[in-house]
Amino acid sequence: MFEARLVQGNLLKKVLESLKDLLTEASWDCADTGIQLQAMDNSHVSLVSVQLRADGFDKFRCDRQLSMGMNLTSMSKILRCAANDDIITIKAQDQADNVTFVFESPNQEKVADYEMKLMNLDQEHLGIPETDYAAVIKLPAAEFQRIIKDLSQFGESVVISCTKEGVKFSAAGDIGVGNIKLAQTASVDKEEEAVTIEMQEPVTLTFACRYLNMFTKATCLAPQVTLSMSPEVPLVVEYKIGDMGHVRYYLAPKIED
Amino acid sequence: KVKQASIMNFFQKK
């Protein structure tokens, strides 16, 4: 028996919004520690990793490990039927071929349940090595979304360059060149408005706008986003899911041919 | 000329 109840059901709605453009199907791996998902996009350019810890749920029961393969487009359609303040419960029997989503209004006067077929997905899992990144940049998630959206007009790629002076995002194309520089904030009223840079060595990498734009669908999840970079390794773009976990996107860089 | 790398060039299959 698997059952997970989340009073703050809108967190799950937001997680799905942040995955559905990048992934069409994926497996949710459930254990007594929580729920995890790891999947590559169809082109194998990026990898998404989601963690939802058991202690972040209001009720969590998982008698035996199970992997629930789901069509994320369908899951997203179902979660769109939940109101933002609904309590969401996910339920499945052991070795079941379907999963049930229950949405309760806060006053319990409306209860809806939706059943969805599970899929048998033979998904490859990749081992992500522990890495000490050369540069870790934290910035407001909305600011990052705006930068990527603005620079996407210029070309297919964004160059992210981090030095001790700050971080620079650049794009070039037929209409011209765009550069956006962010310095570390000296002082801010609110922590979530801060730009902070921890840098061991300068690093410059080139990434596809298309993927960065899809990652920014997670902007609704968290006030801040963390970018971790090292020379010639994938970029990590991380959004926290409340205090119960995270969505991490790994994006392979564009490299000199 | 830059070329898009695959994520599988960096992370090994488990």
Side-chain angles (χ1 to χ4, degrees), chain A residues 171-196:
Chain A
D174 293 343
I175 64 167
V177 179
N179 291 297
I180 301 169
K181 290 175 204 160
L182 289 182
Q184 192 156 203
T185 43
S187 65
V188 283
D189 293 338
K190 292 183 196 155
E191 214 173 291
E192 55 202 44
E193 289 168 4
V195 176
T196 56

PDB file of all heavy atoms in Angstrom, chain A residues 171-196:
ATOM      1  N   ALA A 171      24.072  36.551 -25.299  1.00  0.00           N
ATOM      2  CA  ALA A 171      23.549  35.827 -26.461  1.00  0.00           C
ATOM      3  C   ALA A 171      23.827  36.666 -27.696  1.00  0.00           C
ATOM      4  O   ALA A 171      23.836  37.903 -27.632  1.00  0.00           O
ATOM      5  CB  ALA A 171      22.060  35.578 -26.315  1.00  0.00           C
ATOM      6  N   ALA A 172      24.078  35.988 -28.807  1.00  0.00           N
ATOM      7  CA  ALA A 172      24.358  36.697 -30.064  1.00  0.00           C
ATOM      8  C   ALA A 172      23.620  36.008 -31.196  1.00  0.00           C
ATOM      9  O   ALA A 172      23.442  34.790 -31.186  1.00  0.00           O
ATOM     10  CB  ALA A 172      25.859  36.696 -30.342  1.00  0.00           C
ATOM     11  N   GLY A 173      23.173  36.816 -32.165  1.00  0.00           N
ATOM     12  CA  GLY A 173      22.459  36.246 -33.306  1.00  0.00           C
ATOM     13  C   GLY A 173      22.321  37.272 -34.409  1.00  0.00           C
ATOM     14  O   GLY A 173      23.048  38.279 -34.413  1.00  0.00           O
ATOM     15  N   ASP A 174      21.392  37.013 -35.329  1.00  0.00           N
ATOM     16  CA  ASP A 174      21.230  37.877 -36.507  1.00  0.00           C
ATOM     17  C   ASP A 174      20.890  39.321 -36.133  1.00  0.00           C
ATOM     18  O   ASP A 174      21.344  40.253 -36.780  1.00  0.00           O
ATOM     19  CB  ASP A 174      20.110  37.315 -37.411  1.00  0.00           C
ATOM     20  CG  ASP A 174      20.525  35.987 -38.027  1.00  0.00           C
ATOM     21  OD1 ASP A 174      21.743  35.689 -38.013  1.00  0.00           O
ATOM     22  OD2 ASP A 174      19.635  35.243 -38.487  1.00  0.00           O
ATOM     23  N   ILE A 175      20.080  39.509 -35.095  1.00  0.00           N
ATOM     24  CA  ILE A 175      19.659  40.890 -34.776  1.00  0.00           C
ATOM     25  C   ILE A 175      20.695  41.650 -33.957  1.00  0.00           C
ATOM     26  O   ILE A 175      20.646  42.862 -33.853  1.00  0.00           O
ATOM     27  CB  ILE A 175      18.277  40.943 -34.071  1.00  0.00           C
ATOM     28  CG1 ILE A 175      18.301  40.263 -32.697  1.00  0.00           C
ATOM     29  CG2 ILE A 175      17.193  40.354 -34.941  1.00  0.00           C
ATOM     30  CD1 ILE A 175      17.055  40.588 -31.859  1.00  0.00           C
ATOM     31  N   GLY A 176      21.658  40.938 -33.406  1.00  0.00           N
ATOM     32  CA  GLY A 176      22.693  41.622 -32.636  1.00  0.00           C
ATOM     33  C   GLY A 176      23.123  40.820 -31.435  1.00  0.00           C
ATOM     34  O   GLY A 176      23.042  39.585 -31.430  1.00  0.00           O
ATOM     35  N   VAL A 177      23.553  41.539 -30.422  1.00  0.00           N
ATOM     36  CA  VAL A 177      24.146  40.899 -29.245  1.00  0.00           C
ATOM     37  C   VAL A 177      23.463  41.434 -27.998  1.00  0.00           C
ATOM     38  O   VAL A 177      23.124  42.614 -27.923  1.00  0.00           O
ATOM     39  CB  VAL A 177      25.665  41.240 -29.173  1.00  0.00           C
ATOM     40  CG1 VAL A 177      26.303  40.607 -27.947  1.00  0.00           C
ATOM     41  CG2 VAL A 177      26.378  40.776 -30.431  1.00  0.00           C
ATOM     42  N   GLY A 178      23.245  40.565 -27.014  1.00  0.00           N
ATOM     43  CA  GLY A 178      22.716  41.006 -25.728  1.00  0.00           C
ATOM     44  C   GLY A 178      23.605  40.525 -24.596  1.00  0.00           C
ATOM     45  O   GLY A 178      24.086  39.389 -24.627  1.00  0.00           O
ATOM     46  N   ASN A 179      23.852  41.414 -23.639  1.00  0.00           N
ATOM     47  CA  ASN A 179      24.641  41.060 -22.453  1.00  0.00           C
ATOM     48  C   ASN A 179      23.896  41.521 -21.216  1.00  0.00           C
ATOM     49  O   ASN A 179      23.446  42.660 -21.159  1.00  0.00           O
ATOM     50  CB  ASN A 179      25.994  41.784 -22.459  1.00  0.00           C
ATOM     51  CG  ASN A 179      26.903  41.269 -23.544  1.00  0.00           C
ATOM     52  OD1 ASN A 179      27.286  40.099 -23.549  1.00  0.00           O
ATOM     53  ND2 ASN A 179      27.249  42.139 -24.480  1.00  0.00           N
ATOM     54  N   ILE A 180      23.769  40.658 -20.227  1.00  0.00           N
ATOM     55  CA  ILE A 180      23.165  41.059 -18.950  1.00  0.00           C
ATOM     56  C   ILE A 180      24.146  40.687 -17.845  1.00  0.00           C
ATOM     57  O   ILE A 180      24.541  39.529 -17.719  1.00  0.00           O
ATOM     58  CB  ILE A 180      21.809  40.357 -18.719  1.00  0.00           C
ATOM     59  CG1 ILE A 180      20.822  40.700 -19.854  1.00  0.00           C
ATOM     60  CG2 ILE A 180      21.213  40.766 -17.371  1.00  0.00           C
ATOM     61  CD1 ILE A 180      19.556  39.850 -19.862  1.00  0.00           C
ATOM     62  N   LYS A 181      24.558  41.717 -17.088  1.00  0.00           N
ATOM     63  CA  LYS A 181      25.509  41.464 -15.996  1.00  0.00           C
ATOM     64  C   LYS A 181      24.808  41.628 -14.667  1.00  0.00           C
ATOM     65  O   LYS A 181      24.080  42.596 -14.461  1.00  0.00           O
ATOM     66  CB  LYS A 181      26.671  42.470 -16.073  1.00  0.00           C
ATOM     67  CG  LYS A 181      27.579  42.250 -17.252  1.00  0.00           C
ATOM     68  CD  LYS A 181      28.622  43.366 -17.309  1.00  0.00           C
ATOM     69  CE  LYS A 181      29.145  43.507 -18.737  1.00  0.00           C
ATOM     70  NZ  LYS A 181      29.774  44.803 -18.975  1.00  0.00           N
ATOM     71  N   LEU A 182      25.048  40.704 -13.775  1.00  0.00           N
ATOM     72  CA  LEU A 182      24.514  40.818 -12.417  1.00  0.00           C
ATOM     73  C   LEU A 182      25.691  40.814 -11.455  1.00  0.00           C
ATOM     74  O   LEU A 182      26.531  39.916 -11.497  1.00  0.00           O
ATOM     75  CB  LEU A 182      23.622  39.630 -12.066  1.00  0.00           C
ATOM     76  CG  LEU A 182      22.249  39.477 -12.710  1.00  0.00           C
ATOM     77  CD1 LEU A 182      21.560  38.242 -12.136  1.00  0.00           C
ATOM     78  CD2 LEU A 182      21.383  40.702 -12.477  1.00  0.00           C
ATOM     79  N   ALA A 183      25.710  41.824 -10.589  1.00  0.00           N
ATOM     80  CA  ALA A 183      26.739  41.847  -9.553  1.00  0.00           C
ATOM     81  C   ALA A 183      26.141  41.238  -8.292  1.00  0.00           C
ATOM     82  O   ALA A 183      24.917  41.194  -8.138  1.00  0.00           O
ATOM     83  CB  ALA A 183      27.169  43.280  -9.284  1.00  0.00           C
ATOM     84  N   GLN A 184      27.000  40.788  -7.416  1.00  0.00           N
ATOM     85  CA  GLN A 184      26.530  40.299  -6.126  1.00  0.00           C
ATOM     86  C   GLN A 184      25.880  41.480  -5.389  1.00  0.00           C
ATOM     87  O   GLN A 184      26.424  42.582  -5.403  1.00  0.00           O
ATOM     88  CB  GLN A 184      27.731  39.766  -5.348  1.00  0.00           C
ATOM     89  CG  GLN A 184      27.341  38.988  -4.152  1.00  0.00           C
ATOM     90  CD  GLN A 184      28.432  38.004  -3.719  1.00  0.00           C
ATOM     91  OE1 GLN A 184      28.134  37.045  -3.061  1.00  0.00           O
ATOM     92  NE2 GLN A 184      29.670  38.243  -4.079  1.00  0.00           N
ATOM     93  N   THR A 185      24.701  41.245  -4.794  1.00  0.00           N
ATOM     94  CA  THR A 185      24.026  42.367  -4.122  1.00  0.00           C
ATOM     95  C   THR A 185      24.754  42.722  -2.827  1.00  0.00           C
ATOM     96  O   THR A 185      25.172  41.840  -2.078  1.00  0.00           O
ATOM     97  CB  THR A 185      22.554  42.013  -3.824  1.00  0.00           C
ATOM     98  OG1 THR A 185      22.490  40.676  -3.334  1.00  0.00           O
ATOM     99  CG2 THR A 185      21.695  42.124  -5.058  1.00  0.00           C
ATOM    100  N   ALA A 186      24.905  44.033  -2.613  1.00  0.00           N
ATOM    101  CA  ALA A 186      25.613  44.510  -1.421  1.00  0.00           C
ATOM    102  C   ALA A 186      24.733  44.322  -0.189  1.00  0.00           C
ATOM    103  O   ALA A 186      25.147  43.760   0.816  1.00  0.00           O
ATOM    104  CB  ALA A 186      25.993  45.964  -1.603  1.00  0.00           C
ATOM    105  N   SER A 187      23.501  44.794  -0.279  1.00  0.00           N
ATOM    106  CA  SER A 187      22.570  44.601   0.831  1.00  0.00           C
ATOM    107  C   SER A 187      21.163  44.577   0.264  1.00  0.00           C
ATOM    108  O   SER A 187      20.855  45.276  -0.693  1.00  0.00           O
ATOM    109  CB  SER A 187      22.694  45.732   1.851  1.00  0.00           C
ATOM    110  OG  SER A 187      22.288  46.940   1.255  1.00  0.00           O
ATOM    111  N   VAL A 188      20.338  43.730   0.836  1.00  0.00           N
ATOM    112  CA  VAL A 188      18.947  43.635   0.366  1.00  0.00           C
ATOM    113  C   VAL A 188      18.001  43.601   1.560  1.00  0.00           C
ATOM    114  O   VAL A 188      18.370  43.165   2.639  1.00  0.00           O
ATOM    115  CB  VAL A 188      18.689  42.359  -0.486  1.00  0.00           C
ATOM    116  CG1 VAL A 188      19.238  42.504  -1.883  1.00  0.00           C
ATOM    117  CG2 VAL A 188      19.235  41.118   0.192  1.00  0.00           C
ATOM    118  N   ASP A 189      16.784  44.108   1.317  1.00  0.00           N
ATOM    119  CA  ASP A 189      15.768  44.066   2.377  1.00  0.00           C
ATOM    120  C   ASP A 189      15.304  42.636   2.602  1.00  0.00           C
ATOM    121  O   ASP A 189      15.146  42.189   3.718  1.00  0.00           O
ATOM    122  CB  ASP A 189      14.568  44.940   1.991  1.00  0.00           C
ATOM    123  CG  ASP A 189      14.964  46.411   1.950  1.00  0.00           C
ATOM    124  OD1 ASP A 189      15.970  46.754   2.593  1.00  0.00           O
ATOM    125  OD2 ASP A 189      14.279  47.184   1.256  1.00  0.00           O
ATOM    126  N   LYS A 190      15.088  41.948   1.465  1.00  0.00           N
ATOM    127  CA  LYS A 190      14.596  40.569   1.568  1.00  0.00           C
ATOM    128  C   LYS A 190      15.655  39.618   1.027  1.00  0.00           C
ATOM    129  O   LYS A 190      16.232  39.870  -0.031  1.00  0.00           O
ATOM    130  CB  LYS A 190      13.317  40.401   0.753  1.00  0.00           C
ATOM    131  CG  LYS A 190      12.133  41.152   1.320  1.00  0.00           C
ATOM    132  CD  LYS A 190      10.911  40.853   0.461  1.00  0.00           C
ATOM    133  CE  LYS A 190       9.808  41.862   0.718  1.00  0.00           C
ATOM    134  NZ  LYS A 190       8.909  41.999  -0.422  1.00  0.00           N
ATOM    135  N   GLU A 191      15.860  38.521   1.752  1.00  0.00           N
ATOM    136  CA  GLU A 191      16.862  37.524   1.363  1.00  0.00           C
ATOM    137  C   GLU A 191      16.595  36.975  -0.035  1.00  0.00           C
ATOM    138  O   GLU A 191      17.507  36.693  -0.798  1.00  0.00           O
ATOM    139  CB  GLU A 191      16.809  36.380   2.374  1.00  0.00           C
ATOM    140  CG  GLU A 191      18.155  35.737   2.643  1.00  0.00           C
ATOM    141  CD  GLU A 191      18.073  34.732   3.767  1.00  0.00           C
ATOM    142  OE1 GLU A 191      17.871  35.150   4.934  1.00  0.00           O
ATOM    143  OE2 GLU A 191      18.194  33.543   3.465  1.00  0.00           O
ATOM    144  N   GLU A 192      15.286  36.855  -0.384  1.00  0.00           N
ATOM    145  CA  GLU A 192      14.946  36.238  -1.672  1.00  0.00           C
ATOM    146  C   GLU A 192      15.266  37.141  -2.866  1.00  0.00           C
ATOM    147  O   GLU A 192      15.216  36.694  -4.002  1.00  0.00           O
ATOM    148  CB  GLU A 192      13.493  35.789  -1.675  1.00  0.00           C
ATOM    149  CG  GLU A 192      12.493  36.859  -1.333  1.00  0.00           C
ATOM    150  CD  GLU A 192      11.185  36.254  -0.830  1.00  0.00           C
ATOM    151  OE1 GLU A 192      11.233  35.322  -0.007  1.00  0.00           O
ATOM    152  OE2 GLU A 192      10.139  36.727  -1.256  1.00  0.00           O
ATOM    153  N   GLU A 193      15.592  38.403  -2.612  1.00  0.00           N
ATOM    154  CA  GLU A 193      15.950  39.307  -3.705  1.00  0.00           C
ATOM    155  C   GLU A 193      17.467  39.346  -3.948  1.00  0.00           C
ATOM    156  O   GLU A 193      17.941  40.013  -4.861  1.00  0.00           O
ATOM    157  CB  GLU A 193      15.463  40.731  -3.385  1.00  0.00           C
ATOM    158  CG  GLU A 193      13.945  40.849  -3.461  1.00  0.00           C
ATOM    159  CD  GLU A 193      13.422  42.143  -2.875  1.00  0.00           C
ATOM    160  OE1 GLU A 193      14.234  42.999  -2.460  1.00  0.00           O
ATOM    161  OE2 GLU A 193      12.191  42.279  -2.818  1.00  0.00           O
ATOM    162  N   ALA A 194      18.206  38.619  -3.133  1.00  0.00           N
ATOM    163  CA  ALA A 194      19.667  38.699  -3.199  1.00  0.00           C
ATOM    164  C   ALA A 194      20.256  37.926  -4.378  1.00  0.00           C
ATOM    165  O   ALA A 194      19.691  36.940  -4.840  1.00  0.00           O
ATOM    166  CB  ALA A 194      20.256  38.155  -1.900  1.00  0.00           C
ATOM    167  N   VAL A 195      21.381  38.428  -4.856  1.00  0.00           N
ATOM    168  CA  VAL A 195      22.222  37.673  -5.802  1.00  0.00           C
ATOM    169  C   VAL A 195      23.506  37.348  -5.039  1.00  0.00           C
ATOM    170  O   VAL A 195      24.194  38.255  -4.557  1.00  0.00           O
ATOM    171  CB  VAL A 195      22.560  38.507  -7.055  1.00  0.00           C
ATOM    172  CG1 VAL A 195      23.516  37.754  -7.976  1.00  0.00           C
ATOM    173  CG2 VAL A 195      21.285  38.895  -7.811  1.00  0.00           C
ATOM    174  N   THR A 196      23.803  36.061  -4.880  1.00  0.00           N
ATOM    175  CA  THR A 196      25.041  35.695  -4.180  1.00  0.00           C
ATOM    176  C   THR A 196      25.873  34.776  -5.069  1.00  0.00           C
ATOM    177  O   THR A 196      25.334  33.943  -5.802  1.00  0.00           O
ATOM    178  CB  THR A 196      24.770  34.984  -2.831  1.00  0.00           C
ATOM    179  OG1 THR A 196      23.951  33.854  -3.066  1.00  0.00           O
ATOM    180  CG2 THR A 196      24.069  35.886  -1.848  1.00  0.00           C
TER     181      THR A 196
END
